[in-house]
Amino acid sequence: MRSDDALSETRTGPTAGKRRPSGRPALPGWAQTWSGVLGVIVLAELAVRTGIVSSDHFPAVSTILSTLVHRLQDPLYWNAVAGTLQGWAVGLAVATVIAVPLGMAIGFSELMYRALRPVIEFLRPVPSVALIPLSILIYGTGLAGKVFLVAFACTWPVLIQSLYGARDVDPVQLDTARSYRIPQARRVLRVVLPSTVPYIATGLRIASATALILAVTAELIVGSTGLGRTISEARQGGNVEVMYALITTTGLLGWGLNSLFALVERRALHWHPSHRETQA
């Protein structure tokens, strides 16, 4: 059993076969990817150099990258990166510890599912940024407040994925386990959990991006230590090149974390049909 929400948030495998245009040598996947990136960089550089875009508002890409390379030698830069990653990691870990067992318990129990689904659907759409005043009131402007916002935002994708993963378990497998009188705890570990792990992995990958967004947002608005606060300070000081270099850093962090989660997911779930089809 799977609802439309699960279908929209879960990637279970390729939806179409691989096609290659006839008569043309296909470029390798990495070349296609980086050619698009390079094209965007060149266009952005030309837009500034030709005066289409004012350099006062958007510096040339070469200037941004040069500034970023220079910032790599500054210990304060790495302190900001570490502050953001700390909030990201702790908040995501807290959300995982809460959401995975709770989601599996709700999905495994029809009574809990019917009783708690309205509560989940009410709380899930609440924007985490709307809780910033509450976070400041309770936890202040330090790490705890940032972790609270990140954990709240990340709990929902992981919980929803865990919930529907538990509900998507093959009933034949459950009936077989019951017929052999396997204890419920072992049924959860041996039957429910393996079927739910691909859903949980997708939820974690989604939550990873959400955690980074909320960590930087909290730093921008609340003033917690991290890249967000450094970006705000650069903006207030009129240092546009540094501001864009730091924004580029957040983008690179997001790309790197997503790639890391995707790699771990492929390696850990190589046995899952979707990953076997992708590797074929």
Side-chain angles (χ1 to χ4, degrees):
M1 182 183 301
R2 184 186 302 175
S3 79
D4 293 339
D5 291 339
L7 291 174
S8 65
E9 294 182 8
T10 306
R11 178 179 59 82
T12 57
T15 58
K18 298 178 180 179
R19 294 184 298 176
R20 179 177 298 178
S22 58
R24 294 182 181 180
L27 291 173
W30 65 268
Q32 297 176 20
T33 300
W34 288 107
S35 62
V37 174
L38 182 61
V40 171
I41 291 175
V42 170
L43 288 175
E45 180 78 14
L46 290 176
V48 177
R49 296 299 181 185
T50 57
I52 298 176
V53 178
S54 173
S55 60
D56 294 334
H57 301 126
F58 187 83
V61 176
S62 57
T63 303
I64 295 174
L65 295 179
S66 174
T67 304
L68 178 58
V69 171
H70 178 72
R71 298 289 293 184
L72 293 178
Q73 305 171 16
D74 187 355
L76 296 178
Y77 170 85
W78 293 109
N79 289 339
V81 172
T84 298
L85 288 178
Q86 184 182 26
W88 168 86
V90 177
L92 184 60
V94 170
T96 303
V97 170
I98 295 173
V100 171
L102 182 59
M104 291 181 61
I106 295 173
F108 197 61
S109 169
E110 188 67 25
L111 177 61
M112 290 183 65
Y113 176 75
R114 293 182 180 277
L116 295 178
R117 183 175 179 181
V119 178
I120 294 172
E121 294 300 330
F122 172 76
L123 292 175
R124 185 174 62 156
V126 175
S128 296
V129 292
L131 300 178
I132 288 179
L134 176 64
S135 171
I136 296 175
L137 179 64
I138 298 176
Y139 299 105
T141 60
L143 176 63
K146 179 165 56 175
V147 168
F148 168 76
L149 294 173
V150 172
F152 180 86
C154 294
T155 293
W156 305 114
V158 180
L159 186 143
I160 293 297
Q161 292 294 105
S162 303
L163 187 158
Y164 286 117
R167 292 181 65 82
D168 199 40
V169 177
D170 188 353
V172 175
Q173 295 180 356
L174 286 175
D175 292 339
T176 303
R178 291 191 188 99
S179 66
Y180 281 99
R181 298 183 178 179
I182 297 176
Q184 183 170 346
R186 292 191 63 188
R187 290 203 304 267
V188 172
L189 291 176
R190 297 297 181 88
V191 179
V192 179
L193 185 58
S195 299
T196 310
V197 164
Y199 289 83
I200 296 173
T202 302
L204 288 174
R205 184 157 44 82
I206 296 171
S208 171
T210 303
L212 183 62
I213 292 171
L214 262 297
V216 175
T217 301
E219 293 159 2
L220 277 167
I221 300 177
V222 180
S224 304
T225 302
L227 286 169
R229 188 170 77 175
T230 310
I231 291 172
S232 180
E233 291 172 351
R235 178 189 62 82
Q236 293 173 1
N239 202 337
V240 180
E241 292 83 1
V242 172
M243 183 185 75
Y244 277 103
L246 295 171
I247 292 173
T248 302
T249 300
T250 62
L252 292 174
L253 274 180
W255 171 75
L257 292 172
N258 184 74
S259 300
L260 177 62
F261 270 82
L263 176 62
V264 172
E265 184 179 346
R266 286 197 303 269
R267 295 289 178 85
L269 300 177
H270 60 87
W271 49 271
H272 193 261
S274 64
H275 292 279
R276 289 205 301 267
E277 293 172 7
T278 304
Q279 295 170 2

